[in-house]
């Protein structure tokens, strides 16, 4: 080997851990991208896996809850009672009538008169108004008024108003029945009773109801018969209402009774019945189980995301380390010094930096061994002076970058001042036109690029130079981080 590769000190390549770590740290963006990709992939896998296990558990629960006919009927009865209890509880919580104070019930009573109506048409005219108020027609129109007070469910709004007629006395009824002329104009009275949480609400509602009835009167005239609707009087009052108090107590007692009965029914359930009941009723216990399962699934997903993130960084570092160790490139200036006998004048490290206008320009930085361009230049000058070299070619097996060309031109300009001519040629192994110039000059300075130039490229170049009697003055290296 010594005879065949006289320019080599050793074939063994030592791995510099510090250089490996330094280069790995420069690739932190790629490492983060790989880590994010790993987190997404492994996190998605963990989520799908967790959802599958939750669905399997729920399916297993349903499969186990096989009940007899009697047990199933008991479960259905409990579910129905639970739904009724929930609806009643919602009603008591949202109904303004159930929340009104029965000892201070705020009411407004409107007394209306229907006159100038034919006797045979009067009943249907009256019933049209009563039906409109009692069965929710007026409530629908109130909701369209745009008043914020009436942003309630229609059922809660409709129960705040009612309409009724007082029964005629017997003498009056006899007089009316004795009239033979069916075309006689008749009249009747009806009341509209409105309840509010307070007097302001009741008064506002009464005003809106009056407006609604005035509009609705036109519809009744077209469909039921000609008449005139007149508001005779309006009275406001705040009184104790025993009927409302009894109604509220009845609803609350029913709610309490339903809850007691439901608890007694569910306490007697077996485990299978309870699971079936919770599933069919959709009650809080089932929701809590599903929520717990979701939380556990989310926790497992976070663990998978963390593992994916760490695994992505580990995989990238492993791949980068393998490429670093098994690639045949020159990895550092120290490796050049350890492996080869020819002089190595140092590493010129060029780094791009953004200019003021966004353009890039090279700036010089010293390498790890403090070999600046000035030191490299002086070492080349001293070697040329010692060996009497006046003409020199800087040859490489790659194409120069713009910053490398500028650097070599600067070195050539300074050497020219000392009487040394330096010419640069690139891709020398493939440029046959430059071979004659290299042979004529007789001296060559090998130019390498750390991370790009391979050991085989150096061996081929040395064989070529020695076979053609070209003296190798030494080598310099550019950093790969341009």
């Amino acid at each position: 080997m010594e005879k065949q590769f006289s320019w080599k000190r050793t074939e063994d390549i030592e791995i510099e851990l510090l250089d490996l770590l330094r280069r790995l740290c420069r690739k932190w963006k790629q490492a983060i991208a790989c880590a994010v990709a790993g987190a997404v992939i492994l996190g998605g896998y963990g989520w799908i896996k967790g959802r599958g296990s939750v669905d399997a558990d729920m399916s297993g629960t349903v499969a186990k809850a096989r009940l007899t006919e009697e047990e199933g009927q008991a479960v259905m009865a409990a579910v129905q009672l639970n739904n009724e209890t929930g609806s009643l509880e919602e009603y008591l919580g949202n109904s303004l009538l159930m929340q009104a104070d029965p000892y201070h019930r705020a009411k407004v009573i409107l007394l209306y008169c229907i006159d100038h109506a034919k006797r045979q048409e009067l009943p249907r005219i009256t019933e049209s108004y009563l039906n409109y108020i009692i069965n929710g027609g007026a409530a629908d129109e109130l909701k369209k008024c745009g008043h914020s007070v009436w942003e309630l469910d229609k059922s809660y709004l409709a129960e705040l108003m009612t309409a009724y007629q007082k029964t005629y006395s017997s003498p009056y009824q006899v007089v009316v029945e004795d009239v033979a002329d069916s075309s006689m104009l008749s009249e009747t009275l009806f009341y509209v009773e409105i309840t509010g949480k307070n007097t302001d609400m009741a008064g506002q509602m009464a005003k809106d109801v009056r407006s609604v009835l005035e509009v609705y009167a036109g519809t009744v005239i077209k469909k039921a018969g000609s008449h005139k609707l007149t508001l005779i009087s309006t009275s406001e009052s705040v009184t104790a209402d025993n009927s409302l108090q009894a109604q509220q107590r009845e609803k609350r007692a029913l709610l309490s009774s339903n809850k007691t009965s439901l608890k007694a029914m569910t306490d007697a359930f077996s485990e299978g019945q309870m699971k079936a009941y919770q599933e069919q009723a959709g009650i809080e216990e089932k929701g809590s189980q599903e929520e717990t399962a979701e939380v556990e699934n989310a926790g497992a997903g976070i663990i998978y995301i963390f593992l994916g993130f760490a695994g992505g960084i580990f995989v990238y570092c492993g791949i980068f380390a393998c490429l670093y160790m098994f690639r045949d490139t020159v990895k550092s200036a120290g490796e050049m010094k350890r492996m080869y006998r020819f002089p190595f004048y140092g590493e010129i490290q060029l780094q791009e930096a953004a200019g003021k206008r966004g353009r890039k320009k090279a700036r010089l930085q010293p390498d790890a061994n403090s070999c600046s361009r000035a030191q490299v230049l002086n070492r080349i000058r001293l070697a040329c002076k010692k060996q009497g070299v006046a003409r020199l070619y800087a040859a490489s097996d790659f194409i120069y970058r713009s910053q490398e060309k500028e650097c070599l031109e600067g070195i050539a300009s300074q050497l020219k001042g000392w009487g040394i001519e330096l010419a640069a040629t690139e891709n020398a192994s493939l440029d046959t036109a430059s071979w004659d110039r290299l042979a004529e000059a007789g001296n060559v300075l090998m130019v390498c690029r750390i991370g790009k130039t391979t050991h085989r490229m150096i061996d081929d170049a040395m064989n070529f130079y020695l076979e053609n009697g070209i003296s190798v003055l030494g080598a310099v290296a550019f950093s790969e981080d341009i």
Side-chain angles (χ1 to χ4, degrees):
M1 186 194 74
E2 289 291 333
K3 201 168 184 180
Q4 184 180 3
F5 302 111
S6 58
W7 59 87
K8 281 192 174 183
R9 297 180 188 275
T10 179
E11 287 280 353
D12 299 331
I13 300 177
E14 297 181 5
I15 302 299
E16 297 183 13
L17 293 179
L18 290 178
D19 182 68
L20 172 60
L21 293 175
R22 178 176 61 87
R23 293 178 184 275
L24 185 58
C25 290
R26 290 178 180 175
K27 303 293 184 180
W28 65 270
K29 291 182 180 179
Q30 292 86 337
I32 292 297
C34 190
V36 170
V40 170
I41 294 172
L42 206 58
Y45 167 77
W47 183 83
I48 293 173
K49 182 180 178 182
R51 289 299 304 174
S53 62
V54 170
D55 293 340
D57 291 343
M58 295 303 295
S59 299
T61 300
V62 173
K64 290 178 181 178
R66 297 187 179 182
L67 309 175
T68 64
E69 183 177 355
E70 293 181 357
E71 290 175 336
Q73 291 176 353
V75 169
M76 292 303 298
V79 170
Q80 184 177 0
L81 182 58
N82 176 75
N83 294 337
E84 292 177 359
T85 303
S87 299
L88 180 57
E89 193 168 13
E90 181 182 1
Y91 170 73
L92 289 174
N94 297 326
S95 172
L96 293 182
L97 187 64
M98 293 295 102
Q99 296 173 10
D101 184 0
Y103 300 102
H104 300 84
R105 182 176 181 177
K107 293 191 301 183
V108 175
I109 298 177
L110 307 175
L111 174 60
Y112 277 95
C113 174
I114 301 173
D115 57 2
H116 295 83
K118 292 182 180 180
R119 183 186 173 209
Q120 70 271 22
E121 295 177 348
L122 186 60
R124 61 189 180 190
I125 293 173
T126 306
E127 291 300 325
S128 296
Y129 286 107
L130 297 179
N131 178 64
Y132 181 68
I133 297 169
I134 296 172
N135 294 320
D140 283 335
E141 292 302 319
L142 279 181
K143 290 178 66 66
K144 297 177 183 178
C145 290
H147 200 288
S148 60
V149 178
W150 318 135
E151 294 299 325
L152 300 171
D153 187 87
K154 175 183 174 180
S155 61
Y156 302 138
L157 188 59
E159 67 179 357
L160 294 177
M161 64 183 80
T162 186
Y164 56 89
Q165 281 187 293
K166 289 188 176 180
T167 306
Y168 289 121
S169 62
S170 298
Y172 182 81
Q173 291 179 355
V174 171
V175 171
V176 172
E177 289 172 357
D178 288 342
V179 177
D181 187 3
S182 62
S183 63
M184 183 188 73
L185 298 181
S186 302
E187 65 179 20
T188 188
L189 303 173
F190 71 91
Y191 296 84
V192 180
E193 184 178 303
I194 298 169
T195 300
K197 291 186 68 174
N198 49 54
T199 54
D200 292 338
M201 179 180 175
Q204 181 62 47
M205 192 171 181
K207 291 180 182 179
D208 292 342
V209 169
R210 288 172 57 184
S211 300
V212 167
L213 288 179
E214 289 174 2
V215 175
Y216 183 67
T219 303
V220 178
I221 291 173
K222 292 179 182 180
K223 293 185 177 181
S226 177
H227 67 280
K228 181 180 180 182
L229 180 68
T230 306
L231 177 63
I232 298 177
S233 66
T234 301
S235 62
E236 298 181 1
S237 64
V238 179
T239 60
D241 192 327
N242 295 329
S243 62
L244 177 60
Q245 183 184 42
Q247 186 179 356
Q248 290 178 347
R249 286 179 177 176
E250 179 185 358
K251 296 293 185 182
R252 294 191 182 104
L254 180 60
L255 177 62
S256 177
S257 174
N258 285 355
K259 288 184 175 181
T260 303
S261 300
L262 182 61
K263 186 177 185 305
M265 294 173 69
T266 54
D267 287 345
F269 280 170
S270 64
E271 183 178 355
Q273 285 179 299
M274 181 59 72
K275 290 180 179 178
Y277 166 72
Q278 291 174 356
E279 180 184 355
Q280 294 181 35
I283 57 178
E284 185 178 355
E285 285 77 3
K286 177 179 180 289
S288 299
Q289 290 176 357
E290 290 183 349
E291 184 178 353
T292 302
E294 290 293 340
V295 171
E296 292 177 355
N297 187 24
I302 292 174
I303 293 175
Y304 274 102
I305 290 173
F306 176 77
L307 292 177
F309 191 87
I313 294 178
F314 179 78
V315 169
Y316 180 83
C317 293
I319 294 174
F320 184 88
C322 289
L323 292 175
Y324 179 87
M325 291 186 291
F326 294 112
R327 286 175 61 189
D328 188 41
T329 56
V330 176
K331 299 175 179 62
S332 65
E335 185 176 316
M336 289 284 293
K337 294 177 181 179
R338 287 194 307 270
M339 291 192 64
Y340 298 104
R341 296 182 184 276
F342 52 75
F344 179 70
Y345 300 118
E347 177 184 3
I348 301 174
Q349 185 172 3
L350 299 173
Q351 182 177 357
E352 287 182 343
K356 291 183 179 180
R357 295 183 181 180
R359 293 178 297 179
K360 295 183 177 180
K361 61 181 180 179
R363 65 180 181 183
L364 190 65
Q365 287 191 348
D367 63 1
N369 298 319
S370 301
C371 293
S372 66
R373 184 174 65 172
Q375 291 174 324
V376 172
L377 174 65
N378 282 312
R379 289 176 180 177
I380 295 174
R381 180 181 66 82
L382 291 175
C384 291
K385 182 178 180 181
K386 183 177 180 180
Q387 300 181 29
V389 175
R391 189 178 180 188
L392 182 65
Y393 262 91
S396 71
D397 277 335
F398 54 87
I399 297 176
Y400 294 123
R401 295 168 178 163
S402 59
Q403 292 84 4
E404 294 169 343
K405 285 183 179 180
E406 292 176 5
C407 182
L408 289 176
E409 288 172 359
I411 291 176
S413 176
Q414 290 182 284
L415 288 176
K416 188 175 182 179
W418 292 322
I420 302 171
E421 182 181 351
L422 175 67
T425 181
E426 57 187 1
N427 218 7
S429 61
L430 299 179
D431 186 9
T432 56
S434 66
W435 292 357
D436 293 335
R437 295 194 300 270
L438 288 173
E440 182 181 352
N443 296 287
V444 66
L445 175 67
M446 291 180 61
V447 180
C448 304
R449 184 186 292 160
I450 302 298
K452 175 70 175 179
T453 303
T454 64
H455 298 289
R456 183 175 179 178
M457 291 168 62
I458 294 176
D459 293 341
D460 292 343
M462 290 298 298
N463 283 324
F464 173 78
Y465 296 144
L466 293 181
E467 288 174 359
N468 292 277
I470 301 173
S471 176
V472 179
L473 184 68
V476 296
F478 285 111
S479 169
E480 66 171 338
D481 301 316
I482 297 178

